[in-house]
Amino acid sequence: MKWRRREKKKPALYNRDELMPPEGVPLHLEVAGVGARMAAQITDILITGIGAIAIIILLAMINLTSPQTLGAVGMMLFFIIRIPYYVLTELAWNGQTLGKKLMKIKVVSHDGLSLSAHSLVVRNLMKEAEIFLPGTLVLTLDAASPISSLIAFAWIIGTLLVPILNKRRQRLGDMIAGTYVIHLPMPVLLKDLAQSVPQPQLKKGKFNFLSHQLDHYGAFELQTLEDLLRAQENRTSAQMNAHQNATIESVIEKIRRKISYADPVSAPDRVAFLRAFYNAQRAHLEQKQLFGERRKNKFHAEQGDEK
Amino acid sequence: MEQPDLIRSARFRKEREEDWARLEKLVAKAESQGLHRMSFDEARDLAALYREGTTSLAIAREISLDKALLHYLEALTARAYLSVYAPQESVHGVFSRFLRRGAPQAMRRSWLFIALGFLCMGLGALAGYLLYFDDPAWYYVMMPPELAGGRGPDASTSYLRSVIYDEDPDASGLGAFATFLFSHNTRIAIFVFGLGVFLCAPAIALTFYNGLIFGSFIALHVDRGLGWDIAGWLSIHGVTELSAICIACGGGLQLGAAILFPGQLSRIESLRQAGRDAAKLAIVAAVMLVAAALLEGFGRQLIQDMNTRLAIGWGIGLLWLLWFALGGRARS
């Protein structure tokens, strides 16, 4: 209930957090959600569990342990494998266990410095108290002891609530260690719309925009137009095509009315017109920005008046 | 292709695009192979290009409105940042630093809390001992039945002796080791450390209670004239094990004290600082518990002589003490 309300309040789709590296240029990293982290955790439990089971089978085959103590030995092996596993993998692979690698998430230090061995040890030792202790409590539950079941459930709900209730989705261990978990950002360099000019029919000076015509929009509208043009570039199916054409036509009509652009735009020239408008608008806004006037969106004029 | 009429931000991108592509390649290499396997030139270029990348990002935020470019630079710089500021420590280095300096220094720094842990345990043992001689019925109050294993005021002296000197050691060493590790005392050690966060009280209570059990157990045997025998039976692993519980308690108390008395810091910050030493104490306690489990699993079955048991138990205790007292001191 609680987190749903929280999601609604936020207009942004992703939960981003600012990290300040020593270079002093803040980076905005997407905080990993509870779901992705739980998936990584389950993967890691499976990996370490399989390791423990393999050793158990080996021990049973060479008769090193009696069947009565097999269960206890298994628990011990799981325990002995998993405690160094998390610390050592996160240390060797810079904050990623195998499960985290699969989910493409990573531990980072919130102060912008590199992860220290200490913080990795702390966050993974607390994992024992936060995840494995209540986990084993639940596994060993029986109906005869309702009090311990209640404690186990309260414990689990408590540890689940902590990351859900704070913005960086930190576990208790993360808080003490000063770390949090992010999605690894993927750098993909798309073509520059202002630079690539594929249309041969776009002759220079075909569409000219005057300075007052470019005063209507701000960065938000420009970047929405950018998204539209990029989607138009890599459209595929014919059905999508028709839909896209209708969108582009209505967008052009809206822009023409807003900036009072008199000449009609013929059907084959539509994309060329939008590209020309994008270029001119971007050049204009970037020019303004250089001189200290950031126009966030089309309401920039009204906001300016209020001040 | 000559395009003299490019807008400013497009020119900015065109001039730097090659460097970004190279940085992207170096980052991919650093992530897949690790920084230490890169050549000198590559490592130097990675660092230089990363700093160039941060500058590009800072400039692009000022001059460019190209969303795709901003996202790309942000992601690229973040990836480069993560591989440039990767932990530089080797696993081996971390271990040896912990053993040589970290652990003993942390133990010495938090001697007061550890002393408090021993005090809780000692007072508990004293109380248990005196209560037993006051009235042996207290034994049933304090001792959980599954822990006593039939050893109580009702048991015969010969039975108590037979448990101490195991006539037919049939249990496998590994099995005993494992059962021990999940036995009462390990759980106590985990709890006293973890519960220390809740304002110290649960950690103190639990350690005291553990002392009570311990004291009444000894009192039972002293009452039957088995005092030295039980001392030997307990010493061989108990010196290590009970010290581990006290150290874990010390770590827990340190966390609790950080929350109770944060001083000038905020509580979370104070907890974070106390955590530095407390985590080391927890690891020391864990190492000691594993050592105690080995002693219990193998040593107690193999060595049946009382004096040897005493000597080994306290000898190992002395070794721990030497490590804590002398390790990591600056050579002068």
Side-chain angles (χ1 to χ4, degrees):
Chain A
M1 247 349 255
K2 183 106 191 175
W3 64 268
R4 227 178 257 163
R5 240 182 290 146
R6 170 186 282 256
E7 298 296 279
K8 256 187 216 162
K9 248 192 292 179
K10 261 186 234 162
L13 193 58
Y14 302 111
N15 179 7
R16 283 178 181 275
D17 194 75
E18 194 177 282
L19 184 103
M20 184 66 94
E23 279 71 26
V25 178
L27 297 172
H28 301 96
L29 296 164
E30 192 188 326
V31 176
V34 176
R37 295 181 60 181
M38 225 186 264
Q41 182 62 64
I42 290 169
T43 318
D44 284 330
I45 289 176
L46 285 181
I47 290 170
T48 47
I50 287 169
I53 288 169
I55 297 178
I56 277 278
I57 292 173
L58 192 75
L59 284 178
M61 269 162 68
I62 56 176
N63 276 328
L64 244 179
T65 164
S66 57
Q68 293 90 2
T69 54
L70 210 58
V73 173
M75 282 288 284
M76 172 194 81
L77 283 173
F78 183 47
F79 188 75
I80 285 183
I81 291 174
R82 78 172 180 240
I83 288 193
Y85 167 82
Y86 292 103
V87 178
L88 295 185
T89 48
E90 286 184 359
L91 193 64
W93 291 324
N94 191 11
Q96 286 187 303
T97 60
L98 288 173
K100 288 198 178 76
K101 277 197 169 189
L102 277 180
M103 298 305 297
K104 296 198 168 42
I105 56 179
K106 187 177 205 126
V107 183
V108 294
S109 176
H110 80 150
D111 55 5
L113 299 173
S114 51
L115 288 166
S116 64
H118 165 78
S119 54
L120 291 178
V121 167
V122 167
R123 73 184 296 280
N124 286 306
L125 275 187
M126 281 301 288
K127 184 175 271 176
E128 283 304 310
E130 279 181 83
I131 295 170
F132 289 110
L133 220 54
T136 35
L137 263 182
V138 166
L139 286 183
T140 54
L141 278 188
D142 51 359
S145 54
I147 295 177
S148 73
S149 341
L150 268 181
I151 292 176
F153 274 114
W155 195 333
I156 286 175
I157 287 171
T159 51
L160 273 178
L161 276 182
V162 171
I164 286 173
L165 289 183
N166 71 66
K167 191 170 163 278
R168 282 172 166 174
R169 302 280 178 270
Q170 285 172 301
R171 292 191 281 118
L172 275 175
D174 281 323
M175 286 181 182
I176 298 180
T179 56
Y180 61 105
V181 182
I182 55 151
H183 279 291
L184 265 186
M186 291 291 155
V188 181
L189 186 53
L190 300 168
K191 270 189 280 176
D192 194 343
L193 283 176
Q195 202 172 329
S196 58
V197 189
Q199 276 78 12
Q201 70 262 39
L202 175 62
K203 286 172 226 100
K204 180 151 173 56
K206 179 157 186 184
F207 302 107
N208 283 317
F209 302 96
L210 300 172
S211 154
H212 71 86
Q213 288 179 314
L214 297 172
D215 271 339
H216 295 282
Y217 292 116
F220 175 76
E221 288 76 24
L222 181 76
Q223 286 170 351
T224 312
L225 179 60
E226 179 186 338
D227 288 342
L228 179 76
L229 285 171
R230 285 194 198 283
Q232 192 273 332
E233 245 179 19
N234 45 20
R235 63 186 169 180
T236 46
S237 67
Q239 197 189 353
M240 287 274 288
N241 220 343
H243 180 69
Q244 195 87 39
N245 278 340
T247 318
I248 285 181
E249 192 181 348
S250 70
V251 166
I252 288 179
E253 280 316 304
K254 276 224 169 110
I255 291 176
R256 280 188 55 219
R257 232 177 302 136
K258 181 102 177 171
I259 69 174
S260 43
Y261 187 82
D263 303 342
V265 180
S266 60
D269 275 351
R270 275 180 193 145
V271 174
F273 169 81
L274 279 184
R275 279 177 165 275
F277 179 68
Y278 173 80
N279 270 15
Q281 182 72 69
R282 192 171 127 191
H284 183 75
L285 284 176
E286 285 176 355
Q287 184 82 14
K288 289 265 177 222
Q289 187 163 313
L290 263 188
F291 286 102
E293 193 189 339
R294 278 177 182 273
R295 294 185 169 173
K296 260 199 190 144
N297 50 33
K298 61 185 173 187
F299 304 114
H300 60 87
E302 299 156 33
Q303 279 161 3
D305 290 343
E306 276 168 28
K307 270 173 202 170
Chain B
M1 197 163 73
E2 192 61 33
Q3 283 179 315
D5 56 341
L6 276 181
I7 59 177
R8 194 187 307 267
S9 62
R11 280 205 310 273
F12 162 81
R13 168 176 167 162
K14 219 179 160 197
E15 283 160 11
R16 288 164 180 77
E17 224 170 328
E18 260 174 57
D19 283 349
W20 297 340
R22 175 154 165 72
L23 177 59
E24 210 177 317
K25 264 194 211 118
L26 286 175
V27 167
K29 195 167 178 191
E31 280 174 356
S32 63
Q33 298 181 3
L35 273 178
H36 54 281
R37 287 213 196 88
M38 290 169 78
S39 71
F40 173 75
D41 286 351
E42 285 172 328
R44 181 199 57 202
D45 286 357
L46 174 65
L49 286 172
Y50 158 63
R51 298 209 158 86
E52 202 186 303
T54 55
T55 329
S56 297
L57 176 62
I59 296 173
R61 280 188 184 144
E62 287 308 309
I63 69 162
S64 180
L65 286 172
D66 185 354
K67 198 162 68 172
L69 177 74
L70 290 172
H71 281 332
Y72 168 77
L73 276 180
E74 179 109 42
L76 178 67
T77 321
R79 283 296 266 267
Y81 156 73
L82 290 172
S83 53
V84 168
Y85 285 92
Q88 306 287 326
E89 290 165 296
S90 69
V91 170
H92 172 75
V94 170
F95 272 119
S96 74
R97 193 162 47 103
F98 176 75
L99 291 179
R100 284 213 206 111
R101 290 205 307 273
Q105 284 172 355
M107 292 288 290
R108 287 202 293 276
R109 268 196 299 269
S110 33
W111 67 272
L112 188 65
F113 292 105
I114 295 171
L116 275 176
F118 275 100
L119 187 68
C120 295
M121 176 79 84
L123 283 178
L126 188 66
Y129 190 85
L130 295 178
L131 280 174
Y132 179 88
F133 281 110
D134 188 42
D135 180 2
W138 278 109
Y139 185 86
Y140 298 107
V141 179
M142 293 177 291
M143 191 68 135
E146 69 272 10
L147 204 63
R151 290 172 287 184
D154 308 331
S156 67
T157 309
S158 64
Y159 174 72
L160 292 179
R161 178 178 285 280
S162 80
V163 175
I164 296 176
Y165 298 107
D166 198 0
E167 261 76 51
D168 53 337
D170 57 338
S172 72
L174 196 60
F177 173 63
T179 39
F180 169 81
L181 209 55
F182 291 94
S183 71
H184 174 80
N185 285 332
T186 312
R187 237 173 294 156
I188 291 276
I190 293 174
F191 276 117
V192 291
F193 182 77
L195 294 178
V197 180
F198 300 109
L199 314 180
C200 298
I204 291 177
L206 212 55
T207 316
F208 185 80
Y209 171 65
N210 207 44
L212 275 182
I213 295 177
F214 178 61
S216 62
F217 188 69
I218 288 193
L220 166 70
H221 287 79
V222 168
D223 198 26
R224 305 293 177 82
L226 289 171
W228 281 108
D229 304 276
I230 195 65
W233 187 80
L234 279 174
S235 294
I236 187 160
H237 72 287
V239 174
T240 304
E241 184 191 332
L242 294 176
S243 309
I245 294 179
C246 295
I247 290 171
C249 176
L253 290 181
Q254 204 167 11
L255 292 180
I259 293 182
L260 276 178
F261 314 110
Q264 296 296 313
L265 303 167
S266 72
R267 287 212 152 75
I268 187 90
E269 184 59 32
S270 145
L271 188 64
R272 207 170 279 154
Q273 288 194 1
R276 297 199 84 80
D277 278 350
K280 292 197 178 92
L281 295 196
I283 297 173
V284 167
V287 169
M288 289 176 80
L289 281 172
V290 170
L294 281 172
L295 283 173
E296 155 121 11
F298 299 101
R300 196 144 83 180
Q301 262 81 26
L302 299 176
I303 302 157
Q304 296 285 336
D305 179 56
M306 182 185 87
N307 289 327
T308 326
R309 279 178 171 178
L310 276 172
I312 290 183
W314 290 97
I316 288 175
L318 194 67
L319 287 182
W320 291 121
L321 194 64
L322 282 178
W323 179 35
F324 301 142
L326 301 178
R329 287 200 190 273
R331 292 203 186 97
S332 53

